[in-house]
Structures are given as structure tokens and as C-alpha cells.
Amino acid sequence: MTPLRKAACIGGGVIGAGWVARLLLNSIDVTVSDPDSEAERKVGEVLANAERALERLTKAPKPAAGRLGFAARIGDAVADAELIVESVPERPELKRAVYAEIEAAAAPEAIIASSTSGILPSELQAGLQHPQRLLVAHPFNPVYLLPLVELVAGRQTAPETVERARAIYRDLGMHPLVIRKEIEAFVADRLLEAVWRECLWLVKDGIATTAEIDDAIRFGFGLRWAQMGIFETYRVAGGEAGMKHFIAQFGPCLKWPWTKLTDVPELTEALVETIAAQSDAQSGQHSIRELERIRDDNLVAILQALKDQDWGAGKTLADYERRLHAAAGRGAAEVDTSRPLRLYEATVRSDWTDYNGHMNESRYLEVFSEATDAAMRFVGCDQAYVAAGGSYFTAETHICHLGEARLQEPLYVESQTLSADGKTWRLFHRLYSARSEELLATGEHMLLHVDLETRRVASAREPVAGRLAALAAAQAGLPQPEQAGAAIGKRG
Ligand SMILES: NC(=O)c1ccc[n+]([C@@H]2O[C@H](COP(=O)([O-])OP(=O)(O)OC[C@H]3O[C@@H](n4cnc5c(N)ncnc54)[C@H](O)[C@@H]3O)[C@@H](O)[C@H]2O)c1
């Protein structure tokens, strides 16, 4: 299947903006249509959160971001899109009106993916000219970090639509779960509704506060659920006798009063007030943006821990990183090596700036270190090469600061090989602002090739030796940078 190149996001609220971020950061061009006059700002804020989270989540080579556009008319947004993501409010008549506008302008084979949390796809596709191209792709907030997307076909959805969607979401680093039969709220929200209903009863009956209920989740079974779900966890809980023993032991409880509360407590003004006041007491000291960052950092930490175990959502992350590495390797073959290589881009994040309002000096080293990693991968010093026992260590670094990199400044690095032999590699980076093209800093690094077993300098092996020699030869004619070889206190 050909990779996705262009998408439209209809609705750029909490979920729509999350989709925008996941798509853009995977190199897909996205046009957004949303009548909210604040949509551009809101999408920009979610995108900034997503960039920050992705930067922390993975050191794998990130593809260049796609282009972001906004269109006042839905028709203009969807005209050349291959995937149309609908994330407008949860009202069937509104969603159907949006589909009519989409179908008037979109290619008939473009997929329409609804983010609905619970409306049946058969209901949504009724009345469409091309109902076979609609399915539900139900994501979870934050869409740019959580891998699960439930794919639900309606009665008229073509099997090819589901297969294409499955491939698209897998390429986006997600875990597409194809739901076997459509049912309101699908699988995950059906589970969440059941838990949510019990939570409302517990608050209403004065048994626990919102904070205490959250503690009951996050200090215990919430940790289990992030890695094994419920059935595997209960299998373990059944001991050596396993699942049958577990059911024999706890099955009768299902008939005890534990789970009698299947009806929904009425959301009276008093109950809503109680929940809101308890929630304020629990979390009111943090702004929503702060809570988002805390949530994202915790999710990143969990995903990375699971990646180390090659398990669950961490396995999805590891697979995604393998694809990013492979794509970076394929891209390397098409690059003109006679010029400095542009292999690394970044944006100055809020936690990179210091009290002077510009990028802290330690971050320059971080950026140059990422650029060095990208250059190493370019010559074939990738995960597989390192796993086989070879790598480069930095023996010396000289950074020259020439301009200010301010918050949100888009940056890119150009890397020039000044010299290389079998064991050494003199690499020179120039850091530019992508906005003004101003040269902000340079970094000169002496790298030594090391045998990771003996921890001693050793000659590079193939394919690195050959590729680096070819790169050094291709760049030998480039002018020597004026900052190269400079001593401290001297410019040039
Ligand atoms: N919030 C969640 O946690 C969550 C999770 C999964 C799925 N969903 C689903 O995602 C969808 C969107 O939910 P949300 O939470 O992002 O809502 P939201 O209110 O944050 O965003 C909806 C956006 O749609 C825009 N909109 C309204 N009419 C429009 C139109 N005619 N054309 C284009 N845009 C229009 C609004 O201006 C708004 O920006 C819903 O179907 C919801 O069930 C929500």
C-alpha cells in the first residue's frame, strides 16, 4: 500500500487537534477546517505539546513534519485528501451534515474516519453516496501519545477500507484494534462507562471523594491495567490453577451486592456541584496546561518503561522506532553528499529556555548531540551496528555561540565532515534559525570509533567505514568553516 501523504481534519478541537499533531509529526500534510475563530491557536497549542512529548518519547530519527493549512470551507480542505478525519461534536445530525459537504468535494476513494466515541458507523454512513469508505477510528486523548485506535466498520463499510485504515494507523505508530461487531461505545468506552458509573455512585453515596477514587485506581489496579489489562491480570491472580480457578473463586461475588448498582445516578445539580468542588480541591492548584504536561510526561515514562520490556504499548513504540530508523536509512540514499547535510530539525521548547529568555547553553550541546547521532545513522552507525559492537564516542567538543535561539524558534542543523579516517571523524555542525536563516551557533566535534567490547579505539567496520570515507571525499572540497579549529576567545 502507498503511504498516506495528505489528510484533512474536520474539527480541530481536543481530539481533532490531537489527530492533526499525530499526522503532521509523521510527515503528512494536513488541512484543518473548523469554524471556531480560535482554532488555529488551539491547534498550535496542542501541536506544541505533541512536539514536546514526541521529543521526549523517542530518540529515533523523526521524519520532517508535514505542512499545516487551514481552510474556511470543508470542501477546500478535503479536495485532495486521501484520509478525512471527522472530529466534530458528538451529534449525529451535525456529523451527517458535515459528511454531505465532504462528499461534495472529496475523491470517492478518500476514507472518512469518524472519531465518534460511541455512535454506530452504520448510523453515520446511512445516506452517504459512498458509504463503503466510512468507518469509525476512535482514538484516546492525548491522540499524539496513546497508541490505541478502535476501528469499527458499519454494515456498508468495505473490508478494504478497514485494511487500508489499519495500515495507515500502524504507520502512524498506533495500535489499531479492529472491533469484530459494531456496538454503541465500542469496547473501551463501554468499559470506561461502567467504571465511571460506579465512580459517580461512590461520590453520590459519600463513600469516597474524587481524589480518593483516583488514588484507588492509580496506586493499584491502574498500574496493572497499563501493562496487562484485566484477563491476563486475573489469570495470574488465579495462581497456578489459572483462569478457571479465578472464576470459581470470585465468580459468586458477581451475584453478591458488590455489583448491584447497574443503573445510573441522576446527575442532579447537587451531585455535579459535589464532584466539581472535590475536583477543584484535588487538582485546582494546577492549570489545565500544567495537568496536560504532567499527564504527557507520565505517559512518556510509562511507554518508555514498557518499551524496555518489549511489552504491550511499549512494543508498539519499539516497532514504530524500527520503522523510523528504516525510513531514515532509505532517505540517506537520495541525499546530495557534496553539500553539508541537513539531518536534524527541532523547535526551541519552553523547558529549553533560561532566565535570559533564550535557549540554555546545555541545550546547544543536546541539539548538536542529536545532530551527531543523525550523522552517525547517515553513515550506517545505526541501532544494528551499535548492537554488533561498534560506535562513535565524542572525544572533544567546541561550541561557538553566535546568535540567540528564542522560545518556539524553529531550528535546523547542517553537518559537514571536515575529515575522517578509519578511527577518527571530525564533524562540524552549523545551527540555523529556520525562520530567519541566521547562523546561531556552531559545534565542532572529534569522534573516535570504538569497539564496544574492548572500549578502545578501533577501526570502523563496514558499512560505516566505506560510507564515511565516501562522505569525507564528497565534502573534501567544501570551504573550511571560519569557526573550525578556533581556540576559546577567538572568533575565526
Ligand atoms: N474528548 C475526548 O476525550 C474524545 C475521545 C475520543 C473521541 N472523541 C470524539 O471526538 C469528537 C470531537 O470531540 P472533541 O472532544 O474534540 O470535541 P471539541 O468540542 O473539543 O471539538 C469539536 C470541534 O469541532 C468544531 N466544529 C463544530 N462544528 C463544525 C463543523 N460544522 N465543521 C468543522 N468543525 C466543526 C468545533 O468548533 C470544535 O473545535 C466527538 O465525536 C467525540 O465523541 C472525544
Side-chain angles (χ1 to χ4, degrees):
M1 280 187 210
T2 51
L4 177 69
R5 298 227 163 277
K6 190 149 190 349
C9 286
I10 312 305
V14 173
I15 291 303
W19 276 124
V20 173
R22 191 170 274 272
L23 289 158
L24 274 182
L25 298 179
N26 279 287
S27 229
I28 291 148
D29 294 343
V30 182
T31 309
V32 183
S33 185
D34 189 314
D36 182 355
S37 57
E38 297 277 289
E40 236 173 295
R41 177 186 60 77
K42 290 182 187 168
V43 168
E45 284 178 10
V46 173
L47 192 53
N49 274 356
E51 280 170 342
R52 175 180 176 280
L54 197 66
E55 202 58 48
R56 285 157 192 243
L57 182 65
T58 176
K59 294 286 173 215
K62 309 206 187 21
R67 277 171 306 189
L68 173 62
F70 288 84
R73 291 184 52 250
I74 288 179
D76 294 333
V78 301
D80 54 352
E82 300 151 65
L83 173 71
I84 299 158
V85 178
E86 171 274 299
S87 316
V88 303
E90 194 77 334
R91 299 204 308 271
E93 74 292 351
L94 173 63
K95 288 188 187 281
R96 277 200 292 265
V98 163
Y99 300 152
E101 280 190 66
I102 291 173
E103 286 217 301
E109 63 279 6
I111 292 179
I112 302 178
S114 174
S115 300
T116 178
S117 301
I119 305 172
L120 296 179
S122 289
E123 193 185 330
L124 293 174
Q125 69 194 165
L128 255 64
Q129 290 168 40
H130 303 286
Q132 72 282 356
R133 47 96 150 252
L134 182 138
L135 84 168
V136 166
H138 176 229
F140 294 81
N141 198 27
V143 182
Y144 51 80
L145 267 182
L146 292 189
L148 182 63
V149 53
E150 292 179 309
L151 300 185
V152 195
R155 280 192 294 276
Q156 301 185 74
T157 308
E160 306 82 70
T161 304
V162 179
E163 278 322 300
R164 171 83 175 122
R166 194 206 290 261
I168 287 174
Y169 294 111
R170 193 200 62 123
D171 284 352
L172 293 174
M174 302 186 82
H175 181 86
L177 182 67
V178 178
I179 306 299
R180 290 164 187 271
K181 288 185 187 171
E182 62 175 330
I183 182 173
E184 287 86 352
F186 324 127
V187 172
D189 275 0
R190 208 172 149 188
L191 298 172
L192 287 175
E193 284 282 299
V195 175
W196 175 232
R197 202 168 49 226
E198 295 298 334
C199 294
L200 295 176
W201 277 121
L202 290 166
V203 175
K204 179 178 166 20
D205 294 346
I207 291 159
T209 63
T210 59
E212 287 159 358
I213 293 171
D214 281 355
D215 284 354
I217 296 171
R218 68 195 180 123
F219 288 100
F221 66 82
L223 288 169
R224 289 196 313 220
W225 280 6
Q227 49 86 46
M228 266 191 183
I230 199 163
F231 283 102
E232 208 161 38
T233 295
Y234 282 176
R235 182 187 176 87
V236 178
E240 284 181 15
M243 204 65 196
K244 278 193 176 161
H245 172 66
F246 182 84
I247 292 174
Q249 189 176 353
F250 292 103
C253 312
L254 294 168
K255 297 226 162 80
W256 295 357
W258 288 13
T259 46
K260 70 176 172 24
L261 302 168
T262 49
D263 51 340
V264 183
E266 204 182 324
L267 289 171
T268 58
E269 210 173 301
L271 179 55
V272 173
E273 277 302 321
T274 304
I275 294 172
Q278 290 184 0
S279 174
D280 286 349
Q282 178 187 357
S283 317
Q285 73 277 22
H286 300 295
S287 71
I288 293 297
R289 290 281 168 257
E290 274 168 358
L291 286 172
E292 280 174 351
R293 278 194 286 276
I294 293 167
R295 174 200 65 189
D296 286 3
D297 290 351
N298 290 338
L299 288 173
V300 163
I302 292 169
L303 286 167
Q304 283 172 340
L306 289 173
K307 190 182 85 172
D308 291 344
Q309 304 302 318
D310 203 23
W311 186 263
K315 203 168 173 26
T316 307
L317 175 58
D319 290 344
Y320 177 59
E321 290 186 337
R322 271 190 284 278
R323 282 198 300 281
L324 291 181
H325 280 287
R330 282 194 299 278
E334 297 151 18
V335 172
D336 172 7
T337 51
S338 67
R339 302 188 57 254
L341 305 174
R342 180 169 168 166
L343 299 173
Y344 184 70
E345 295 176 6
T347 303
V348 180
R349 301 182 339 217
S350 57
D351 59 326
W352 283 12
T353 53
D354 61 15
Y355 40 82
N356 292 322
H358 57 204
M359 189 159 88
N360 182 271
E361 61 190 296
S362 66
R363 302 297 177 177
Y364 285 81
L365 184 55
E366 188 174 330
V367 167
F368 287 135
S369 154
E370 294 290 345
T372 297
D373 279 354
M376 283 166 56
R377 284 191 297 267
F378 185 85
V379 297
C381 187
D382 55 13
Q383 275 180 325
Y385 186 87
V386 173
S391 190
Y392 282 93
F393 287 3
T394 305
E396 203 174 321
T397 292
H398 177 224
I399 293 177
C400 188
H401 298 269
L402 302 167
E404 289 188 72
R406 294 176 193 274
L407 183 63
Q408 293 296 327
E409 186 98 43
L411 308 171
Y412 69 92
V413 177
E414 283 192 349
S415 306
Q416 180 177 343
T417 291
L418 300 182
S419 66
D421 57 29
K423 294 179 179 167
T424 67
W425 184 5
R426 212 171 131 214
L427 188 58
F428 187 84
H429 298 303
R430 291 179 181 87
L431 174 68
Y432 290 96
S433 160
R435 197 178 288 143
S436 63
E437 296 297 334
E438 182 190 351
L439 179 62
L440 301 174
T442 62
E444 187 180 355
H445 312 265
M446 175 58 83
L447 311 181
L448 300 177
H449 187 272
V450 172
D451 178 324
L452 290 174
E453 196 154 318
T454 63
R455 316 301 281 185
R456 293 189 178 281
V457 175
S459 292
R461 296 190 293 263
E462 294 304 331
V464 172
R467 286 195 202 163
L468 182 54
L471 177 65
Q475 302 201 334
L478 288 172
Q480 191 78 353
E482 62 176 282
Q483 296 84 5
I488 301 252
K490 273 196 197 164
R491 297 264 150 141

